[in-house]
């Protein structure tokens, strides 16, 4: 018996860190550990593998966003170099840790959207 689910958009599922099929179950068991199965629709989430993609994407995105701001601040204020190193390290680390879960959830949702037949159980 097959149940039809209206899948949320990958962006919505990613921002909510929700199951890519039903949009209601939790995707993560820990900080970045993906659940074995969705508690709502029973989707096998163990097959989902985002690899290093989310971290690489964040490196590029944060570099593109933070470096110009850091350069502008360094031209506007007269901070010592050690203070720049501390401030911008904390900013980048905080943004990376805060954005890593939604980025991983977004990549998992994109994988589900584009490779659904490979990722669903044949007996469901």
């Amino acid at each position: 018996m097959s149940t039809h689910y209206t899948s949320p958009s990958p962006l919505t599922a990613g921002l909510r860190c929700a199951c890519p099929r039903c949009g209601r179950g939790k995707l993560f068991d820990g900080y970045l550990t993906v659940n074995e199965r969705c508690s709502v629709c029973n989707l096998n989430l163990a097959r989902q593998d985002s690899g290093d993609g989310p971290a690489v994407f964040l490196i590029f995105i944060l570099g593109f966003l933070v470096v110009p701001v850091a350069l502008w601040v360094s031209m506007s204020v007269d901070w010592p170099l050690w203070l720049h190193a501390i401030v911008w390290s904390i900013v980048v680390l905080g943004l990376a840790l805060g954005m890593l879960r939604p980025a991983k959830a977004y990549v998992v949702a994109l994988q589900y959207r584009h490779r659904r037949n490979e990722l669903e159980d044949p007996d469901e």
Side-chain angles (χ1 to χ4, degrees):
M1 183 169 79
S2 174
T3 305
H4 176 71
Y5 292 96
T6 304
S7 295
S9 75
L11 185 61
T12 302
L15 290 175
R16 294 181 62 215
C17 296
C19 171
R21 179 161 71 181
C22 67
R24 295 187 310 252
K26 291 187 341 179
L27 182 63
F28 296 110
D29 186 24
Y31 179 64
L32 290 176
T33 306
V34 178
N35 277 325
E36 290 291 321
R37 291 199 168 270
C38 175
S39 60
V40 176
C41 69
N42 205 32
L43 175 65
N44 185 359
L45 296 170
R47 294 182 184 181
Q48 310 287 336
D49 182 24
S50 63
D52 293 333
V56 172
F57 296 148
L58 282 179
I59 289 169
F60 287 119
I61 292 168
L62 290 177
F64 178 76
L65 296 175
V66 173
V67 168
V69 175
L71 289 173
W72 178 75
V73 169
S74 71
M75 298 297 182
S76 300
V77 296
D78 190 25
W79 289 350
L81 287 178
W82 63 267
L83 185 57
H84 279 287
I86 291 172
V87 167
W88 297 114
S89 296
I90 292 171
V91 167
V92 168
L93 186 62
L95 287 172
L97 290 176
M99 294 172 67
L100 194 54
R101 267 180 73 127
K104 183 171 182 171
Y106 180 61
V107 170
V108 167
L110 283 174
Q111 285 178 339
Y112 178 77
R113 161 83 45 102
H114 296 290
R115 295 178 25 208
R116 183 173 311 198
N117 295 337
E118 297 174 27
L119 298 173
E120 287 193 349
D121 287 333
D123 59 337
E124 286 184 3

